[in-house]
Amino acid sequence: MCEPLNLEGFKGLTDDGLCTIEASCATGFEPVVLEEVKELLDCDGRVHRGRVIFDIPIQKARETLKLRTVNNIWVLVGHTHQFVYPESSEEQLVSLADFADKLSWEKSLEVWKDVLNFEGTIYKDEETEKDNLESNPKKPRLEDMPSFRCSCYRTGTNHKFKSTEAQISVGGRIHDKFGWNVKMKDYNMEVVINCDVDQVYVAIALTNKSLFYRTLTQLGQLALKPTLAASLVKLAKVEPGEVVLDPMCGGGSIPLEGALLNTGAFFLGGEINAEGAKRCRTNMTGVTSVHTEIKYPPLMDCFQGDAVNPCFKDGCIDVIVTDLPFGRRSGSKADNRVLYPRTMNALARLVRPDTGRAILLTQDKASMFKTFNQINKYWKLSRFFGVNIGGLKGLVFLFNRTADLYVPKAPKVKKIKS
């Protein structure tokens, strides 16, 4: 778990018309998520490490699923910064269960039910349950009630219990309170209890499956998560009518997510590997059939091509957005020291002078820093910042195209001895 939540100024836990949302993202991209929350939902939020917190009217909670830069979403049930842990592990577990039991669950459950379109019964009907018990003693619970699991995330040294023990204790109390079925897989609802040194809060997941790969029908070995791809495109500040190229697109996450952001720009993906280009095409053509909420063909296309020898005329591309090779699972960092400058200089010919820009993600920061002196005629570094991607610490670089026209280097001519 990350640092404690700062809920000062948020009213979602006390205002009947609002709910407080926690949305997670890759560390480093929090400002991008905050910007999307403001643009899409018209909500002001607060950045925490790896997540963003914001209030939203309960009738608009379902719209949080339209966010393209977040991984998971929760609605908060209750929170305290003044939790005192007793001495023994048994007492601590009872205190956590008591805390969850005494919370007001009604509003958060209604939000969950609406967002996930659950059509069953949330609250047990004692009379119906009594009749059900008499007719079938082995089946005391209603069939249409949700199944759930409880998860626990904790940090700090003052916990004398294990996360699994907290899950059992709190989950058991929730089961007694609502009568829901306990199910570890294929459940309807996930209840999460987060424990810090003196902070405890309970939340309900609005995304039982991570949004990592929601637009991909085929995954490759090095597929970039669509939520990261959407974040990179948001950083590019793409304008309507612009042409955006990912010259190393792999499975096509960047052009696909870019097109689904409805920027009015056209997105192209290039991939040198034939299987990768085929996978990209499959993902692009399959998005409207697998995801029925997408009612229009996105503005995108892909091709098989070499980033070092691009097949486009000069100045026809406005923006480059790409995930450069890390040199870990594919290639090597020694290869990158040659590939990076060659690629950037080759792309300089395609990108419009003065107004063009490039957003690059890489874990091989050493190779990129060594590239600067070889590309500074055509590319000016605007800024860079660190990100954490699945435990890998990478950097995102934002370059602006200089006004210099691209001049290809004259080929070396070997002198022939007479």
Side-chain angles (χ1 to χ4, degrees), residues 229-284:
S231 298
L232 293 174
V233 174
K234 292 287 289 183
L235 281 170
K237 306 292 183 183
V238 178
E239 297 290 337
E242 290 188 322
V243 178
V244 184
L245 171 66
D246 178 1
M248 303 176 182
C249 71
S253 300
I254 289 176
L256 182 54
E257 283 297 314
L260 294 177
L261 281 170
N262 295 329
T263 59
F266 190 84
F267 289 81
L268 280 168
E271 174 57 44
I272 192 171
N273 180 269
E275 285 300 317
K278 182 179 179 182
R279 190 183 308 116
C280 180
R281 175 66 64 188
T282 301
N283 286 328
M284 286 184 172

Side-chain angles (χ1 to χ4, degrees), residues 13 24 81 90 129 170 260 288 295 315 342 371 382:
L13 295 178
S24 67
H81 263 309
E90 292 79 8
E129 187 170 341
V170 176
L260 294 177
T288 54
K295 304 297 184 182
R342 289 186 62 192
T371 298
S382 173

